[in-house]
């Protein structure tokens, strides 16, 4: 058993704590620039939006454009594809979202072409669209539907819908 | 364990220097008079090969950095420039690329050796954990090095591996953006990977020095798994005994290395990496380098993103806890008849996971990968703790000299005397 004795804090203790705290704040202030420099720089952030002419995309076609170094799929959906996307029961989805919530105009689906699992570009050419007519990621086997929603495989969430606006009927601004 | 050095340099200059900086004595104590258990077998020669490979990689790497350009527009071309234009550039690059594979072959042999002979057990826990840190640093270095040629596999390998961090809840996205320095793998990523790929090997050197230091404090384990009790009877001097044996093993190792460099330099690589990186097209079949395949198989075996990532990192992290997971009093598997069987199954499982990591993630391959992943973790988390309680080990020799005697069936001469 140890005997506990209470020692009155001295002026010296106060100085030690204050000095230590000041040094910790100072060290943090110096470390921050070294961490922050690794975040996207001003020139990378500046490339945040891009404009696309979508007049030439035929029904059933997919245009891939580059935005922020990533592919963006602009898909001119057919009636059948829209039908499939709309009639899918929401309860059966791993990441439940209605088709209406993912498009601005039913004919056009705009999604970031990056698998939400580990970042591969899913395949969308006819014949390699997976079991749900959307996209199939060859890396780890994720299947997406015609609304870009995850249906089967390791990806946790639906393909991301980027910020975009229709400037005219045939012109799109992404970002 | 080497005790206080009694080394006295022969020359007057040597004595003058030694009394001011005793580095000659340190070298002599570490690599000449250092006592090594007399029963070490060839599995104990991989440490020397690993040291050799680290130095070889640093030298070829420094040369390559003189001719390489870390920019997305020039990196791929500069590697081809090294291959075609730079004097002996093809040799430097093939030696460096295959050197990474040889490095991993040696480290896996070294690790399986430790696993078989219980080299992680007291008093070698810190030594073992330093080894796990070295392994992790090696993996990080190799991964970043593979990105530098900026081929399709480089780019997509980098994308998949950095995306592993996006599985972290809440801050995952922010961490990946921070790692990339952008919104995808791009020029800032290539630049920092080059910087870190140059830095990490020197950090490796630092940890290797700690690893060797820790080794020389506790002494080497040995096939009998009993500690040195009598330095005279149980050990031999590092030089010439271990030096000569290590050198001979290194020659054999270099023959294999040379065969890769000069006859099949691209055997361990992927043809896709001779296609320049294209951020818009993922190759149909992404595979990491062979030395990452078992861990990649574990990642893909778990049907959840976060779960897969946790399992993959966990499969390496679990190694650090071996000293406490293994409850057996006996170190060497030579005297553990049941553990020995489980160990060899574990070796086969590891190779099997490597095979499955290279196969597509579908159907029977995924099911097989799940079974093998279950064994991988079961081996460490269930078999090791339980076996120590239920297994009856064979009689362990009292001393290293006894172990040698039992094998030879005659009296041991002590050349040191």
């Amino acid at each position: 058993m140890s005997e506990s004795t209470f020692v009155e804090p001295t002026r010296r203790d106060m100085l030690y704590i204050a000095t230590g705290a000041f040094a910790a704040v100072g060290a943090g202030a110096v470390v921050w620039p070294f961490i922050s420099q690794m975040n996207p720089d001003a020139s990378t952030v500046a490339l945040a939006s891009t404009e696309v002419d979508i007049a030439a995309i035929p029904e059933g076609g997919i245009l891939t454009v580059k935005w922020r170094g990533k592919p963006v799929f602009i898909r001119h959906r057919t009636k059948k594809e829209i039908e499939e996307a709309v009639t899918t029961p929401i309860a059966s989805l791993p990441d439940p979202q209605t088709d209406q919530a993912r498009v601005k105009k039913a004919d056009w689906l705009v999604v970031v072409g990056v698998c939400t699992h580990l970042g591969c570009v899913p395949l969308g050419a006819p014949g390699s669209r997976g079991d749900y007519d959307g996209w199939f990621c060859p890396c780890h086997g994720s299947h997406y539907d015609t609304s870009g929603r995850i249906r089967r495989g390791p990806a946790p969430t639906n393909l991301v819908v980027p910020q975009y606006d229709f400037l005219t009927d045939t012109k799109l601004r992404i970002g | 364990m080497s005790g206080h050095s009694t080394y006295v340099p022969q020359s007057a200059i040597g004595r003058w220097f030694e009394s001011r900086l005793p580095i000659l004595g340190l070298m002599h104590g570490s690599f000449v008079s250092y006592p090594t258990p007399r029963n070490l077998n060839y599995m104990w020669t991989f440490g020397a090969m690993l040291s050799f490979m680290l130095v070889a990689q640093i030298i070829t790497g420094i040369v390559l950095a003189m001719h390489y350009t870390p920019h997305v527009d020039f990196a791929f071309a500069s590697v081809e420039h090294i291959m075609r234009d730079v004097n002996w550039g093809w040799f430097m690059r093939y030696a460096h690329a295959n050197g990474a594979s040889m490095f991993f072959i040696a480290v896996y042999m070294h690790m399986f050796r430790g696993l078989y002979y219980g080299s992680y057990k007291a008093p070698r826990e810190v030594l073992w954990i330093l080894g796990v840190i070295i392994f992790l640093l090696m993996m990080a270095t190799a991964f970043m090095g593979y990105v530098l040629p900026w081929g399709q596999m480089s780019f997509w390998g980098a994308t998949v591996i950095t995306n592993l961090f996006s599985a972290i809840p809440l801050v995952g996205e922010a961490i990946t953006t921070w790692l990339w320095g952008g919104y995808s793998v791009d020029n800032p990523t290539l630049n920092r990977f080059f910087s870190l790929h140059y830095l990490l090997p020197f950090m490796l050197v630092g940890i290797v020095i700690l690893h060797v230091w820790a080794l020389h404090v506790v002494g080497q384990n040995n096939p009998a798994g009993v500690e040195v009790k009598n330095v005279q009877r149980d050990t031999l001097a590092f030089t010439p005994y271990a030096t000569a044996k290590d050198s001979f093993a290194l020659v054999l190792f270099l023959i294999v290395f040379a065969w890769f460099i000069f006859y099949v330099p691209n055997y361990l690589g992927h043809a896709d990496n001779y296609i320049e990186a294209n951020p818009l097209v993922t190759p149909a079949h992404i595979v990491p380098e062979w030395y990452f395949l078992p861990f990649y198989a574990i990642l893909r075996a778990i049907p959840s993103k976060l779960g897969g990532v946790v399992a993959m990192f966990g499969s390496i992290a679990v190694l650090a806890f071996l000293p406490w997971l293994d409850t057996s009093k006996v170190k060497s598997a030579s005297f553990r008849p049941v553990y020995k069987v489980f160990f060899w199954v574990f070796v086969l499982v590891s190779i099997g996971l490597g095979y499955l990591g290279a196969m597509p993630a579908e159907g029977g391959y995924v099911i097989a990968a799940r079974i093998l992943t279950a064994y991988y973790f079961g081996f460490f988390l269930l078999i090791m703790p339980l076996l120590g309680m239920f297994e009856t080990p064979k009689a362990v020799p009292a001393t290293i000299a006894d172990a040698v005697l039992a094998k030879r069936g005659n009296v041991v001469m002590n050349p040191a005397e």
Side-chain angles (χ1 to χ4, degrees), chain B residues 172-310:
Chain B
E173 289 297 324
I175 289 178
T176 19
T177 303
W178 178 73
L179 286 172
W180 289 335
Y183 304 105
S184 61
V185 173
D186 211 329
N187 198 48
T189 326
L190 178 60
N191 259 274
R192 63 190 57 178
F193 277 20
F194 178 59
S195 169
L196 294 173
H197 182 69
Y198 208 121
L199 165 74
L200 289 186
F202 295 96
M203 291 179 63
L204 266 173
V205 170
I207 313 255
V208 165
I209 289 172
L210 294 181
H211 191 65
V212 173
W213 185 9
L215 173 73
H216 285 205
V217 170
V218 295
Q220 282 162 296
N221 186 30
N222 59 81
V226 291
E227 299 299 317
V228 170
K229 300 213 168 77
N230 179 329
V231 174
Q232 289 291 328
R233 287 187 77 222
D234 294 343
T235 69
L236 295 169
F238 191 92
T239 302
Y241 297 96
T243 323
K245 195 170 186 172
D246 284 348
S247 305
F248 176 65
L250 184 61
V251 168
L252 299 182
F253 185 75
L254 287 179
I255 290 172
V256 179
F257 190 11
W259 179 70
F260 274 115
I261 296 175
F262 298 114
Y263 289 88
V264 286
N266 289 303
Y267 179 71
L268 296 168
H270 296 289
D272 275 308
N273 223 26
Y274 282 103
I275 302 169
E276 191 168 2
N278 179 353
L280 298 184
V281 180
T282 308
H285 192 45
I286 296 192
V287 207
E289 290 285 84
W290 71 267
Y291 37 81
F292 292 140
L293 287 173
F295 305 104
Y296 193 60
I298 291 174
L299 168 78
R300 300 193 305 180
I302 312 288
S304 125
K305 181 173 170 178
L306 181 59
V309 173
V310 169

Side-chain angles (χ1 to χ4, degrees), chain B residues 28 30-42 44-45 48 220 231-250 408 412-417:
Chain B
H28 189 270
S30 302
F31 303 110
V32 180
S33 65
Y34 177 70
T36 61
R38 69 193 312 157
N39 58 343
L40 296 185
N41 60 32
Y42 272 99
W44 264 264
T45 57
Q220 282 162 296
V231 174
Q232 289 291 328
R233 287 187 77 222
D234 294 343
T235 69
L236 295 169
F238 191 92
T239 302
Y241 297 96
T243 323
K245 195 170 186 172
D246 284 348
S247 305
F248 176 65
L250 184 61
R408 297 266 180 270
V412 165
M413 309 275 279
N414 193 344
E417 284 175 336

Side-chain angles (χ1 to χ4, degrees), chain B residues 5-300:
Chain B
S5 176
T6 52
Y7 175 73
V8 179
Q10 310 224 309
S11 67
I13 294 175
R15 283 192 295 275
W16 179 88
F17 194 83
E18 187 70 3
S19 61
R20 283 151 182 82
L21 181 68
I23 196 165
L24 294 171
L26 181 68
M27 290 295 146
H28 189 270
S30 302
F31 303 110
V32 180
S33 65
Y34 177 70
T36 61
R38 69 193 312 157
N39 58 343
L40 296 185
N41 60 32
Y42 272 99
M43 288 306 291
W44 264 264
T45 57
F46 287 96
M49 296 175 203
L50 286 163
S51 311
F52 175 87
M53 283 317 304
L54 180 55
V55 173
Q57 288 300 85
I58 287 176
I59 292 171
T60 50
I62 288 172
V63 170
L64 288 170
M66 293 179 186
H67 304 280
Y68 169 78
T69 313
H71 187 283
V72 289
D73 293 338
F74 307 107
F76 187 81
S78 76
V79 171
E80 284 313 301
H81 160 75
I82 289 169
M83 293 300 289
R84 292 151 197 254
D85 303 340
V86 175
N87 299 331
W88 296 95
W90 61 271
F91 172 69
M92 296 297 168
R93 175 161 175 262
Y94 279 153
H96 196 72
N98 288 289
S101 285
M102 297 305 289
F103 209 154
F104 275 95
I105 290 173
V107 88
Y108 284 135
M109 296 299 281
H110 195 66
M111 289 163 73
F112 278 127
R113 190 285 317 275
L115 215 50
Y116 185 86
Y117 291 109
S119 300
Y120 45 84
K121 293 195 198 190
R124 298 187 181 78
E125 302 94 327
V126 171
L127 172 62
W128 174 262
I129 290 168
L130 285 167
V132 175
I133 294 170
I134 290 171
F135 180 52
L136 274 174
L137 275 179
M138 273 178 69
M139 291 175 92
T141 311
F143 158 66
M144 287 194 263
Y146 194 59
V147 176
L148 303 184
W150 209 241
Q152 273 289 67
M153 280 295 173
S154 301
F155 182 90
W156 291 101
T159 298
V160 168
I161 301 298
T162 48
N163 262 301
L164 294 177
F165 294 93
S166 72
I168 301 168
L170 302 177
V171 291
E173 289 297 324
I175 289 178
T176 19
T177 303
W178 178 73
L179 286 172
W180 289 335
Y183 304 105
S184 61
V185 173
D186 211 329
N187 198 48
T189 326
L190 178 60
N191 259 274
R192 63 190 57 178
F193 277 20
F194 178 59
S195 169
L196 294 173
H197 182 69
Y198 208 121
L199 165 74
L200 289 186
F202 295 96
M203 291 179 63
L204 266 173
V205 170
I207 313 255
V208 165
I209 289 172
L210 294 181
H211 191 65
V212 173
W213 185 9
L215 173 73
H216 285 205
V217 170
V218 295
Q220 282 162 296
N221 186 30
N222 59 81
V226 291
E227 299 299 317
V228 170
K229 300 213 168 77
N230 179 329
V231 174
Q232 289 291 328
R233 287 187 77 222
D234 294 343
T235 69
L236 295 169
F238 191 92
T239 302
Y241 297 96
T243 323
K245 195 170 186 172
D246 284 348
S247 305
F248 176 65
L250 184 61
V251 168
L252 299 182
F253 185 75
L254 287 179
I255 290 172
V256 179
F257 190 11
W259 179 70
F260 274 115
I261 296 175
F262 298 114
Y263 289 88
V264 286
N266 289 303
Y267 179 71
L268 296 168
H270 296 289
D272 275 308
N273 223 26
Y274 282 103
I275 302 169
E276 191 168 2
N278 179 353
L280 298 184
V281 180
T282 308
H285 192 45
I286 296 192
V287 207
E289 290 285 84
W290 71 267
Y291 37 81
F292 292 140
L293 287 173
F295 305 104
Y296 193 60
I298 291 174
L299 168 78
R300 300 193 305 180

Side-chain angles (χ1 to χ4, degrees), chain A residues 101-138:
Chain A
R102 295 178 53 79
V103 293
K104 295 203 165 159
K105 294 181 179 179
D107 288 353
W108 298 96
L109 175 70
V110 181
V111 286
V112 175
V114 172
C115 182
T116 56
H117 181 225
L118 294 175
C120 296
V121 177
L123 304 174
S128 54
R129 291 179 169 177
D131 295 351
Y132 298 89
D133 275 344
W135 285 271
F136 172 68
C137 183

